[in-house]
Amino acid sequence: MIGEIPKRYAKAGLQSSNFSGKELSLIRETIKNKKSLLLTGKTGSGKTHLAACIFNSADCNKYWFDASYYIYEMKRRMGLKTTDANTLIAEFWDVAVYTSLVVFDDLGAELQDADSTNIITRILMDRYNYEKWTIITTNLDGKALEKRYSKRIISRIYEDYTVVVMNDKDRRKEKFGKVVEV
C-alpha cells in the first residue's frame, strides 16, 4: 500500500510495545528532533514495528512506502506511456521527495535491477538534499547497501541518519509458541 501504514502496524505505539529503555529513548529523540533513521537487522528484529511507532507518533505530513511495492508501481506506471500515467508518476515522486516524513519499509526487497536502484537512489538523494525526515528499514547491512545503491548515497545516509543495528532474535518466532503436531 502506498502512503498508508499497513493495518498490522496502524495502532503501534509506545504504550503497546515491549521496547527497552534505550529503544524508547531513541524513539522519543527521533520524534522530538525529526532525526532520520536507518534501522537495519535480521528479519523479525522489530525494525518495522519501531518505525511504525515513530510514524504513528509523528505529528506531521507523512507517508509509508513498502519499498518493493512502491518501486513496482513506479515502474508499472512508467511503462504505461500516457499523460495520466506521467501525472501519477510526478505525484508519486513529489510525495516521496517532499513529504515531511517518509518511511521506506524493507528497502532492498524490491526487484534488483538498474531502474529500481536508480529510483531509490534518486529519491534518497533528493530527500537528503532537501533535508527531509526519513526512516528506512532494511535487512541489508552497510556493505550490502553500498553494493546495491552505491557508496555515494550510503555515505550521505551515514552522515545524516542515526544508524540502528537491531540484532535481536526473531521476535515473531519467539511469540510463535509451541508447535502442535497432529
Side-chain angles (χ1 to χ4, degrees), residues 8-83:
R8 175 171 304 280
Y9 299 104
K11 294 182 181 177
L14 303 182
Q15 302 78 14
S16 66
S17 303
N18 294 327
F19 290 121
S20 69
K22 191 175 183 179
E23 291 168 326
L24 286 171
S25 293
L26 173 70
I27 293 168
R28 288 187 181 104
E29 180 184 332
T30 299
I31 294 166
K32 180 182 174 189
N33 299 322
K34 297 184 176 172
K35 182 71 177 154
S36 292
L37 291 177
L38 171 62
L39 304 172
T40 181
K42 298 175 185 174
T43 299
S45 61
K47 300 175 302 292
T48 297
H49 190 80
L50 181 60
C53 287
I54 295 166
F55 184 87
N56 290 336
S57 299
D59 185 23
C60 64
N61 185 11
K62 57 194 173 185
Y63 272 80
W64 184 281
F65 293 107
D66 174 291
S68 61
Y69 184 74
Y70 178 80
I71 296 303
Y72 166 79
E73 276 298 306
M74 282 289 284
K75 289 172 65 176
R76 184 183 72 78
R77 291 172 187 202
M78 288 169 145
L80 294 176
K81 306 288 186 206
T82 66
T83 304

Side-chain angles (χ1 to χ4, degrees), residues 21 26 34 40 44-45 47 76 88 92 100 130 142 149-150 160:
L26 173 70
K34 297 184 176 172
T40 181
S45 61
K47 300 175 302 292
R76 184 183 72 78
L88 287 171
F92 254 30
S100 298
Y130 288 104
Y149 301 106
S150 86
D160 201 42

Side-chain angles (χ1 to χ4, degrees), residues 34-35 77 83 104 107 109 134-135 144 158 161 163 173:
K34 297 184 176 172
K35 182 71 177 154
R77 291 172 187 202
T83 304
F104 285 101
L107 189 72
T134 308
I135 300 172
Y158 288 151
Y161 291 50
V163 179
K173 197 173 184 180

